[in-house]
Amino acid sequence: MGPPCTAATWLRRVLDGHVGLPEGISETQFFSWYYRLGLDWYHALFRNCPPDLPLVEVATTYFDSSAARVRIKHDIPRCRIICTLHDPVARLYSQYRQLRREGLLGEVTLEGAIESQRKWDGPGNMFSVSRYAENIRTWQEKFGDDSVLVLIDDDLEENPQAYLDQVTRFIGIPTINVGSSPLARGYIDEASEAPKSHKLARRAHNFREWLRQRKYYFLSERCDLLWNYCFGRGASLPPPDSRVEAELREEFLPEIEALETLLKRDLTRWKRGGRVAA
């Protein structure tokens, strides 16, 4: 349950077949968005999972949600929590591209998106989910340090196998050998284009969520060609201006240093910058 754009897609794909995942849907968002649908709705997503495998959910909307933390602690008190983290400036830019791709920001520049996000500081905000140290401390306080594994995407880029070994040991399943699999290349970032029509993209996003809420998972997950048509075909989104990147790195510096103290780890690469690409 790391924030958006921190290799959740890669982790879900590589765990598929080795753990029990929600059936027919990539992310349930149950404990953040759809809790009103009830536990029976949630349980039904795992009804066909093999009984001898641990159940795993990958959800990028839980990280900074206090409501999700309370609900998960109440309903699954002994679960294990995995937090995946990415360079906060690169992550923010990737989330911007993702929101642009699905029509949720309209035709706005990165600077315009940053300005609008600062005016709304609720869960899921590009800055709220970038408060890594604050959010991780809260998860640790709620579930205990031993039940929270923090992973850094730099390690995934450098050695996917070693990164994955941390996960399999933590959840107690046999080693998964990525070997020569395409997954061995590690980090996946798919949102590189703006939509040709942001209105069409927004409607497609809303329709996809409507399908998921009504359990039409087969349609939702099998319509990749339709979603790609609606979310793509526009201009490539350029990397952020060097001035904007420098300002963001200066803003995130105290947060990075707090995370270094919390994890007892050197994160100098996140301070230097120069790693945000189109």
Side-chain angles (χ1 to χ4, degrees):
M1 33 61 57
C5 307
T6 58
T9 298
W10 183 88
L11 190 58
R12 184 178 62 248
R13 289 179 184 176
V14 79
L15 288 175
D16 192 13
H18 302 275
V19 298
L21 292 168
E23 184 176 13
I25 187 170
S26 299
E27 300 187 30
T28 77
Q29 319 296 12
F30 174 70
F31 290 102
S32 54
W33 295 352
Y34 301 128
Y35 197 69
R36 68 185 185 281
L37 298 178
L39 283 171
D40 288 344
W41 180 89
Y42 185 65
H43 289 163
L45 298 172
F46 297 92
R47 64 186 180 279
N48 293 323
C49 292
D52 58 332
L53 297 180
L55 302 182
V56 173
E57 179 184 3
V58 177
T60 59
T61 59
Y62 296 168
F63 182 66
D64 66 329
S65 171
S66 58
R69 280 191 286 267
V70 170
R71 293 162 179 168
I72 294 170
K73 182 63 177 179
H74 180 268
D75 295 327
I76 322 175
R78 293 184 298 277
C79 72
R80 316 208 82 188
I81 304 295
I82 299 174
C83 298
T84 54
L85 301 179
H86 189 40
D87 171 346
V89 177
R91 192 217 63 78
L92 183 146
Y93 177 63
S94 292
Q95 187 178 10
Y96 160 74
R97 296 199 306 185
Q98 185 180 74
L99 294 172
R100 279 290 311 273
R101 183 173 186 263
E102 297 190 11
L104 300 181
L105 281 179
E107 297 176 353
V108 298
T109 63
L110 175 60
E111 290 179 274
I114 289 172
E115 182 179 352
S116 67
Q117 291 281 299
R118 291 191 193 282
K119 296 177 182 178
W120 165 66
D121 196 22
N125 172 281
M126 290 195 297
F127 291 93
S128 175
V129 298
S130 296
R131 298 185 189 120
Y132 293 169
E134 172 188 331
N135 283 296
I136 288 172
R137 275 195 296 264
T138 307
W139 283 99
Q140 290 175 334
E141 290 167 1
K142 184 71 82 175
F143 291 89
D145 292 1
D146 292 342
S147 295
V148 179
L149 173 66
V150 180
L151 300 172
I152 303 296
D153 281 5
D154 290 6
D155 298 338
L156 172 58
E157 294 172 4
E158 292 175 1
N159 190 332
Q161 186 63 61
Y163 178 94
L164 181 59
D165 288 346
Q166 294 182 73
V167 176
T168 55
R169 284 194 300 268
F170 184 67
I171 62 179
I173 62 173
T175 298
I176 301 170
N177 184 11
V178 293
S180 59
S181 165
L183 291 170
R185 71 182 180 89
Y187 193 76
I188 297 171
D189 187 359
E190 299 172 332
S192 60
E193 296 178 341
K196 189 171 184 179
S197 166
H198 77 271
K199 290 182 179 179
L200 176 62
R202 181 63 179 264
R203 289 169 182 162
H205 171 86
N206 292 340
F207 179 55
R208 187 176 62 182
E209 293 305 311
W210 183 89
L211 289 173
R212 290 173 175 175
Q213 289 183 49
R214 285 154 183 79
K215 302 183 181 181
Y216 297 135
Y217 310 126
F218 179 83
L219 288 175
S220 172
E221 299 297 313
R222 298 298 188 276
C223 288
D224 285 347
L225 290 178
L226 174 61
W227 308 138
N228 289 337
Y229 178 85
C230 295
F231 296 149
R233 302 179 300 122
S236 296
L237 294 167
D241 179 89
S242 58
R243 175 186 58 81
V244 174
E245 180 178 351
E247 291 174 353
L248 286 172
R249 293 210 177 274
E250 182 177 357
E251 178 174 352
F252 285 134
L253 181 59
E255 182 63 37
I256 295 171
E257 291 177 340
L259 186 64
E260 286 181 315
T261 300
L262 181 64
L263 301 182
K264 298 179 175 58
R265 172 167 179 161
D266 181 6
L267 295 171
T268 300
R269 290 178 66 184
W270 290 5
K271 301 175 188 177
R272 287 199 304 257
R275 303 181 63 225
V276 182

